Amino acid sequence: MTDMQVNPSFRLVYVPGVTPGKWVRVWAERLPDVPLDLLAVEPGDGERTLREGGADAGLVRLPVDKDVLSAIPLYTETTVVVFPKDHWLAAAEEVPLADLTEEVVFHPLDDTLGFTADTLPGRPAIARPDSTADAIELVAANVGVLLVPQSLARLHHRRDLTYRPVVEAPQSQVALAWPQERTTDLVEEFIGIVRGRTVNSSRGRGAGQAAPEAQPKKAAAGRGRPQQKAGGQKSGAQKSGGQRTGGQKAGGAKAGGAKAAGRGAAARRGRPKR
């Protein structure tokens, strides 16, 4: 790994539909002195940005070139079909892929589901829209429908459109990726955050920060032991005291016996001789 001082800040690229907010908040809490710069790019530009050194790591969609980039799959998205609210598909809770056979299905150039001309269901449109946003506009015009990951359906939400999950459709997988030759300490730190590691279990800078905090606790624990022993000695003294008290009681019994013996002797001395 390279030294963290090479990068004064951490640059994270992400593609549409991905929301890095929860991880950014943890970063700000854990490394407040290292700014995290977010770079939003088009769906097909995430891998290129990482290759060219424009970011330290990225939240991108698979697949990526594994010969150049390391990648950790994070989650798989549900695929949905987007259509106008008054479309007949709105009556279903989920849509089988076969139900789209007679529908015009748009295939934007930034498709994230890996469809080809042979695998795209339904009837193809006359031309491919330049982007998912352009395809959404065509769907709103009631020209056809669109298959996308659910996050993109939410991103391009319109009041006149809705969507339903599609059964047996291809799915998009989101991953954390970074250049293999640039696995810095800050990259390790972000990997730990994404994977849910605590500060103490982190492999990055957080681990070094956590170590000094653990030492005072051990020292405090060490200082507490003699006090416990001292307390034990006091208890022993109390017990010894109890024994002495018992001894006094025993002494009192002996004294009582001696007095009784004296009275017996005096009584014998007072008897007349026969």
Side-chain angles (χ1 to χ4, degrees), residues 18-27 38 59:
V18 178
T19 53
K22 60 181 179 180
W23 298 313
V24 172
R25 286 191 294 272
V26 176
W27 179 279
L38 290 175
L59 297 169

Side-chain angles (χ1 to χ4, degrees), residues 15-18 43 61-62 75-82 108 110-115 132 136 146-157 163-166 169-174:
V15 296
V18 178
R61 296 184 185 276
L62 296 178
Y75 58 88
T76 300
E77 288 200 66
T78 299
T79 299
V80 301
V81 56
V82 183
D110 61 358
D111 170 55
T112 57
L113 296 174
F115 283 119
T132 297
I136 289 289
L146 176 66
L147 288 163
V148 290
Q150 184 169 310
S151 65
L152 290 182
R154 291 174 176 171
L155 179 65
H156 297 286
H157 172 71
Y163 59 85
R164 295 289 186 274
V166 180
Q171 295 177 311
S172 175
Q173 196 170 25
V174 175

Side-chain angles (χ1 to χ4, degrees), residues 234-248:
K234 290 180 181 179
S235 299
Q238 292 173 355
K239 290 182 180 178
S240 300
Q243 292 173 355
R244 286 197 297 271
T245 303
Q248 292 173 359

Side-chain angles (χ1 to χ4, degrees), residues 201-227:
S201 63
S202 175
R203 298 179 186 176
R205 195 179 76 169
Q209 292 177 333
E213 296 178 0
Q215 293 175 358
K217 293 182 180 178
K218 292 182 179 179
R223 288 195 298 270
R225 288 178 188 142
Q227 295 176 359

Side-chain angles (χ1 to χ4, degrees), residues 60-189:
V60 300
R61 296 184 185 276
L62 296 178
V64 296
D65 188 349
K66 293 184 178 180
D67 292 333
V68 179
L69 302 179
S70 297
I72 300 173
L74 301 179
Y75 58 88
T76 300
E77 288 200 66
T78 299
T79 299
V80 301
V81 56
V82 183
F83 49 82
K85 283 189 173 180
D86 58 357
H87 197 281
W88 68 271
L89 290 172
E93 292 185 1
E94 58 182 23
V95 178
L97 202 60
D99 285 0
L100 302 178
T101 302
E102 299 302 322
E103 298 293 326
V104 173
V105 179
F106 294 112
H107 188 201
L109 294 177
D110 61 358
D111 170 55
T112 57
L113 296 174
F115 283 119
T116 64
D118 296 330
T119 61
L120 186 71
R123 296 184 293 127
I126 297 175
R128 294 184 64 180
D130 291 336
S131 66
T132 297
D134 292 334
I136 289 289
E137 294 295 329
L138 293 172
V139 173
N142 208 11
V143 179
V145 299
L146 176 66
L147 288 163
V148 290
Q150 184 169 310
S151 65
L152 290 182
R154 291 174 176 171
L155 179 65
H156 297 286
H157 172 71
R158 289 177 52 120
R159 296 174 62 182
D160 53 346
L161 300 180
T162 189
Y163 59 85
R164 295 289 186 274
V166 180
V167 181
E168 298 179 352
Q171 295 177 311
S172 175
Q173 196 170 25
V174 175
L176 171 64
W178 67 95
Q180 293 180 4
E181 297 180 355
R182 294 195 296 275
T183 308
T184 65
D185 286 347
L186 291 179
V187 169
E188 287 283 7
E189 192 71 40

